[in-house]
Every structure is written in C-alpha cells, then in structure tokens.
Amino acid sequence: MGERTVIPFGPHHPVLPEPLHFDLVLEDEVVVEAIPQLGFVHRGLEKLVAKKDYMQFVLVCERICGICAFGHSLGYSETIEALMKIEVPIRAQYLRVIWHELSRVHSHLLWLGLLADAFGFENLFMQCWRLREEVLDIFEETTGGRVILTACNVGGVEQDIEDSELKAIVQRLEKMAVEYKGLLKVFLKDRSVKNRLVGVGYLSKEDAAKFSTVGPFARASGLQEDLRMLGFGGYGELKDFQPVTSDGGDGYARSEVRALEVFQSIDIIRELVAKIPEGPYTQKVKGSPEAGSYAVGHLEQPRGECFYLAKGNGTKFLERFRIRTPTSQNVAGMAHIMQGCDLADVPINILTIDPCISCTER
Amino acid sequence: MSSTIKSPWLIHYDASSCNGCDIEVLACLTPMYDLERFGIINTGNPKHADVFLVTGSVNERNIKVVQQIYNQMLEPKVVIACGICACTGGIFKECYNTLGGADVAIPVDVYAPGCAIRPEGIIDAVVMGLGVLEEKRKALAAGELVSDPLPDDLSAAKKSVGGKTVRESSFFETLQKEDSDAA
C-alpha cells in the first residue's frame, strides 16, 4: 500500500464535454475516494420565474440542457397544464411523445459516441455521430431547430407534423436502425470494447436502490424503474411497455441498456404514428395560475426520472419552480462506483452514468 | 499564408453553456461537417491549441478556469465566443450567477451568436478567426505583439459586468494604445 495522493480531475478535461471536477484520492493507481465538486455551470435559472412569465419560461426551461432540451420543455408544460387544469389535445400528446422519443434516440447515440471516444475508439465515435445527424435532420425539418427545438408550449405543440411526413420519419428511422445494428455488433460483441467495459464500475442492485439511482443507470443494475410505465401523456396510449433492463450492473450493461433503448424508442414512434388521431394540435391558454396552487410533474428523460414542481401566486409569474434532474440523483452512485477503480478507468466510470452537468447545476 | 492557419488546433471549454452549443461544436468535428478538412483538430491541451472556443456565459466559479486556459495558450491565439450566451450572456443574462459573456473574462476576437449556434455558423466563425490568427502571427513576427497574461486579480474583469462591452480591453486596442504611448 502506497501513500495517498490527491489528483484533481477536471474541470477542463479532454474526456468531458462539460466541466466537472473531482478530487481523486489515490493509493498508488487505485482510487480510494472520489469527491465531486460542482458549480461550474450554475446559472440560477430557477429564479428567472420571477422575471419571465409562465408562457415565456418554457423557452428558459428548454435551455436547461441542450441534449434533453425537448424533454425539459415537455416536463415544464405538463406541470403548468396540471397547475392550471388545461386539457391538452390528444394529437398534441402524441406529437410530444414522438419528439421526446426522437430526442432519446439522439441523446443515446450521442452518448454511445462519447463513450467510444472515451475508450479511444475514434472511428466508432464518428459513426455514432454520423447516424445521429439523421435524427437532427428530422428535427430540423419538423421544427426548424437542431438541438433547441422550441416545439412544445403550454397547451400543446407549436406546429403539426403531417401524416405523410410522420410515415416518412418512420421509414427513415427504420433505415437508420439497419445501419445502427451494424454498429451495435461492435459495441456489444467486439472483444476490445468488452475489455474496457465488462466488470468496470460495478453497482449491485441493492446499492442502486440505496443510492436512489434513476434511469438507465438503475435499469442496468436490474431495477425495473421507468416512468414511462406510468403512462403519463401520450405514453398511456401504448399497447404494452416494458423497460429495457439488464442484471450486469457494470459499464457494459449500462451501454447495452442504452443501446437497446434506441430500438424501443423507434418501436414507440412506429406504434404512435400508426394510430395518431386527427384534430387540433394546440389549445389557447388564458388566465394565470391561482394563488396557492401547486403541481408536480414527472418525466422519463433519456437520463432518468425528472421531477418538476411549480407553485402559482395568482399573477402571470410563478411563485416557485423547482426541478430535480436525473444526474443529481446519480452523482452519489457515480462517486460510489469510482471507489476501488483504476485511475485509467475513471473517465469510463464517469461517462457510463451519462452525466448531464448542465441539467444538474442549472 | 503560413503553416499556422493551414492547421489550427482548437480547444473547447464549456463555461456555463446548456450543452446545446457544445454538442454543435463536437458535431462540427464529426463526418457531417468535418472541420478536419481544414486541418482543424480538437485538442484538450491548451499549449497545443491556437483557437479557443468558449461556449456559455461566465460565472464567478468558472471565470478563473477560462482565464487559466487562455493564459496557458501560446501566441498567436484567437478566441471565439460561440453562441449568444458566450457573446452577451443571452437568455441567462438576468440570472444571479451570470457575470456576462466570455469577454468579461478574456479578450474575444470573433463573436458568433445563435441559440444554439449552428455548425455552419461555427465553421464561419473559425474561418473568420483564422484571418485574425494570421494578422497576429504577422504582428508577432514583426515583434509588435508580446504575450501579456491577464492579471491575477479579477478586479479589472469584474468592472465590466454592468453590460459594458469589453472591447476596450481587446488585444488590438491595447496594442494601439501602446503604439500611441510610444509615439
């Protein structure tokens, strides 16, 4: 046993697209303790509800995070609709789920690419991001934006997608899925990839529950946790929904869960496009939230369960708005799996929980 | 034309961006937009980099990190503010923890607004930045440009928070001032 050394990791580090700082306490090459330090991306946007009214704030909420942008605007809108008891047109609910699942495909492909980059497989990184551009093209054609969509607002969605276009989207996704299967062979079967992932960052089912992990991080440890099972919004229209889980609990299981969720999202989009009803896609919203009213919203983001709370005070401005994001739940689990790992595995361990620092710090 | 602008390497730091601009910066480097055809490589080492891409607004905690990266880069160097948050603070300007755009911390050469900035916009900004890089290289070769790291205390940087642009602290104007002082 050697002497203890503390190595600062981040906030600027080549493997991290976002600033995150760890104090890594090492004994020789083994991490004894990892102490996360946050705050580099904190903007304080929850407080902006005092300056932007509840219709404008959906734009701020969307900019909590550029990767799960649509999800945040959806979660916020659903919370405000619950607060003001607004009935959303059924077509809007379908369209919201379609965009949200497209976001999940884009987010998971992005993450798989970053993971490949982290273990030094540059080619695989490029291929994942090439496939992701297909989804971004769909976003651009349907909403005009690539990452910040501004498609969802309180009361419905900003614009409709024609039925013919919806069918074309499904065809494009199916074509993409064929190429994606080829990539998955590398991710899930290739020996050099498995060498880097299997057994790295193991989290048992008990620990996953103890640390309150959410999303694919929890599902890869065998927990059946997926808010889409509750059938909120358009998810209630699905015939059958079973979350993708794995019992592995290591980095390989986490990439497997996310990789297979891409197919699940494409299935959801296909099912909803087949039975989307005609009708209006938005609803005029009048008035403002009542004084003393409050509502909560839940959403399964690509990274896990996200929780929203809104409180009205009778004016157009909300009294309080609060978000609990998936990564803030997963940070404790991340610090836990880093104990006892090699220094060289630290980037993989950070990435396999798919951290979104921008969401966490807001 | 010199070898520097034929193959400029870039470093990217996310000040307090929402990730939107960051993933667009990364998208620039991947097959669809492929900045590598201009010889541009993304590097993590400030000493290797010629172009500094900043995304997001600057806050109390990361202002030092941005300045440290800037100071570690060697002349000639170019700073590009990517996205409206890095230019002015954008939608988060009114937030209590936002000091303002990247120019609060360091001199910015090219402003590239957009929310999120599109990859085409980033490519335009980088190509525009290469012109500045070439000018600085010439100035350096002629002995007119000396590297001056930012002061350690942030008082000078913090003065400009009240919405004033920090162009007066930009590199060329410092140079011009020095020139006029000398004359």
Side-chain angles (χ1 to χ4, degrees):
Chain A
M1 194 182 282
E3 270 183 39
R4 291 202 167 188
T5 328
V6 179
I7 293 191
F9 183 91
H12 179 259
H13 189 277
V15 79
L16 300 169
E18 295 177 274
L20 172 65
H21 181 89
F22 273 97
D23 284 331
L24 300 174
V25 183
L26 302 184
E27 261 173 22
D28 294 336
E29 284 284 305
V30 179
V31 178
V32 183
E33 199 180 2
I35 306 156
Q37 288 188 19
L38 303 171
F40 293 96
V41 207
H42 179 59
R43 290 152 283 179
L45 61 81
E46 283 178 5
K47 196 79 181 147
L48 267 191
V49 287
K51 291 177 181 157
K52 311 260 185 216
D53 73 38
Y54 72 92
M55 288 298 267
Q56 293 170 331
F57 193 76
V58 66
L59 300 176
V60 180
C61 206
E62 188 158 27
R63 282 160 179 81
I64 288 172
C65 168
I67 305 176
C68 13
F70 185 81
H72 281 301
S73 62
L74 170 59
Y76 173 79
S77 303
E78 282 185 349
T79 312
I80 299 299
E81 281 147 13
L83 189 69
M84 297 173 67
K85 301 186 180 60
I86 300 165
E87 199 65 27
V88 184
I90 189 90
R91 187 175 175 90
Q93 290 188 5
Y94 273 72
L95 289 174
R96 281 174 173 186
V97 171
I98 288 169
W99 269 314
H100 189 47
E101 291 302 322
L102 280 171
S103 306
R104 194 184 310 276
V105 174
H106 126 73
S107 170
H108 283 350
L109 280 173
L110 178 143
W111 176 82
L112 285 167
L114 288 179
L115 180 73
D117 191 36
F119 55 63
F121 206 148
E122 202 71 11
N123 190 328
L124 200 54
F125 163 61
M126 295 287 179
Q127 294 294 342
C128 288
W129 280 59
R130 184 176 59 81
L131 279 186
R132 175 179 159 267
E133 289 288 337
E134 189 73 31
V135 183
L136 296 190
D137 283 348
I138 295 175
F139 281 150
E140 197 171 345
E141 280 161 28
T142 52
T143 69
R146 276 165 56 89
V147 289
I148 306 281
L149 306 182
T150 323
C152 187
N153 59 10
V154 180
V157 288
E158 284 283 341
Q159 60 267 79
D160 201 0
I161 312 180
E162 281 177 25
D163 286 344
S164 57
E165 204 175 338
L166 282 172
K167 291 203 176 85
I169 287 174
V170 174
Q171 277 173 5
R172 284 170 78 170
L173 286 175
E174 277 168 356
K175 217 171 133 200
M176 191 196 87
V178 177
E179 273 191 77
Y180 177 63
K181 265 184 196 150
L183 278 191
L184 276 199
K185 263 189 207 149
V186 185
F187 263 113
L188 302 178
K189 304 260 160 65
D190 189 79
R191 192 168 54 91
S192 61
V193 174
K194 274 185 154 179
N195 278 346
R196 292 302 308 273
L197 292 176
V198 173
V200 175
Y202 176 74
L203 186 75
S204 67
K205 193 174 176 179
E206 292 72 36
D207 281 343
K210 194 174 89 187
F211 290 112
S212 306
T213 56
V214 293
F217 190 30
R219 293 199 280 278
S221 292
L223 288 182
Q224 283 244 343
E225 257 192 27
D226 195 320
L227 284 183
R228 288 177 286 176
M229 288 193 291
L230 300 178
F232 62 87
Y235 288 104
E237 315 288 332
L238 291 176
K239 216 167 35 200
D240 179 36
F241 180 83
Q242 283 302 321
V244 180
T245 55
S246 168
D247 292 326
D250 55 0
Y252 178 78
R254 295 197 270 280
S255 45
E256 188 189 10
V257 166
R258 291 198 183 88
L260 298 180
E261 275 185 9
V262 170
F263 292 119
Q264 191 184 37
S265 294
I266 295 177
D267 286 344
I268 292 176
I269 295 171
R270 190 188 298 120
E271 189 182 337
L272 290 185
V273 165
K275 58 183 185 189
I276 184 166
E278 291 292 323
Y281 60 88
T282 186
Q283 159 131 334
K284 261 215 151 111
V285 178
K286 282 187 198 144
S288 40
E290 282 169 31
S293 62
Y294 80 96
V296 293
H298 297 277
L299 186 68
E300 184 72 21
Q301 292 270 23
R303 283 161 189 75
E305 174 192 332
C306 196
F307 169 87
Y308 302 82
L309 181 139
K311 209 170 163 189
N313 60 0
T315 67
K316 279 205 165 298
F317 300 91
L318 294 179
E319 179 72 26
R320 178 82 169 95
F321 180 62
R322 164 99 177 102
I323 314 160
R324 196 194 68 191
T325 56
T327 308
S328 59
Q329 288 300 99
N330 285 343
V331 165
M334 169 164 71
H336 178 76
I337 61 173
M338 294 226 280
Q339 287 171 11
C341 79
D342 291 338
L343 179 62
D345 278 335
V346 166
I348 299 281
N349 280 336
I350 294 179
L351 263 182
T352 51
I353 78 145
D354 197 2
C356 183
I357 311 303
S358 176
C359 282
T360 312
E361 303 184 350
R362 301 184 286 286
Chain B
M1 275 292 211
S2 72
S3 54
T4 316
I5 70 162
K6 289 276 177 60
S7 179
W9 286 19
L10 60 87
I11 185 168
H12 159 235
Y13 182 71
D14 167 2
S16 59
S17 152
C18 73
N19 281 345
C21 296
D22 307 319
I23 59 179
E24 293 294 55
V25 167
L26 280 180
C28 278
L29 303 162
T30 51
M32 180 83 175
Y33 294 95
D34 197 16
L35 267 183
E36 271 191 43
R37 67 202 149 113
F38 301 117
I40 295 172
I41 293 179
N42 189 18
T43 171
N45 189 336
K47 300 265 178 196
H48 293 179
D50 307 296
V51 181
F52 185 16
L53 290 179
V54 194
T55 55
S57 49
V58 168
N59 65 27
E60 293 280 355
R61 188 148 157 86
N62 66 29
I63 185 166
K64 274 205 161 151
V65 183
V66 174
Q67 288 177 334
Q68 273 165 12
I69 295 174
Y70 179 82
N71 283 342
Q72 286 180 63
M73 287 172 68
L74 305 173
E75 291 288 354
K77 57 191 169 190
V78 166
V79 178
I80 299 175
C82 280
I84 192 67
C85 295
C87 293
T88 67
I91 196 167
F92 303 120
K93 198 174 183 173
E94 289 167 304
C95 287
Y96 59 82
N97 200 28
T98 301
L99 294 179
D103 51 12
V104 170
I106 52 174
V108 174
D109 296 297
V110 179
Y111 293 85
C115 183
I117 184 168
R118 299 176 59 84
E120 291 92 337
I122 297 174
I123 293 173
D124 272 0
V126 170
V127 171
M128 197 186 267
L130 294 188
V132 182
L133 194 67
E134 174 67 8
E135 277 178 47
K136 285 195 179 179
R137 188 196 64 82
K138 279 183 186 153
L140 195 70
E144 291 161 4
L145 186 79
V146 278
S147 176
D148 71 337
L150 294 162
D152 275 344
D153 70 303
L154 306 178
S155 52
K158 276 188 184 166
K159 260 181 212 156
S160 54
V161 172
K164 253 199 288 172
T165 58
V166 192
R167 298 206 173 192
E168 57 257 33
S169 73
S170 96
F171 220 88
F172 279 111
E173 303 205 357
T174 328
L175 269 185
Q176 281 168 359
K177 214 174 133 205
E178 275 171 15
D179 283 352
S180 60
D181 287 351

